[in-house]
Amino acid sequence: MVYRYWCGECGFKTPWSAESEGLRRHVEHYAGRHPGTPPGGQVESRGRGRGGARACLQLAAVALVLLAVLATCRR
């Protein structure tokens, strides 16, 4: 998994990176740009690969094939 941290005070966001690296950059940003303010904002996460969309498409294709087979068998 990779993570991206968004600042809750401004538009800053860290690049996608390992959780520890992203958190370190997030804390450094707050210390430099918003001293005295506890770090806040949002955290995004995603898998390293972009295979999720492909897997979903493959699943949809299999479902359509199964529906076609079932439709022909019912005749």
Side-chain angles (χ1 to χ4, degrees):
M1 284 271 219
V2 289
Y3 298 86
R4 179 165 62 182
Y5 290 78
W6 292 70
C7 179
E9 313 302 319
C10 67
F12 172 80
K13 60 187 172 199
T14 66
W16 290 103
S17 62
E19 185 175 17
S20 59
E21 176 66 16
L23 183 57
R24 182 186 63 78
R25 288 181 180 214
H26 188 65
V27 169
E28 285 177 355
H29 166 76
Y30 264 84
R33 296 286 216 152
H34 314 290
T37 304
Q42 299 177 13
V43 180
E44 290 181 272
S45 63
R46 71 176 188 205
R48 284 208 179 266
R50 292 257 176 162
R54 189 177 345 172
C56 186
L57 184 60
Q58 289 173 344
L59 181 61
V62 168
L64 285 175
V65 170
L66 287 174
L67 283 173
V69 168
L70 286 173
T72 58
C73 290
R74 294 183 74 83
R75 290 183 183 185

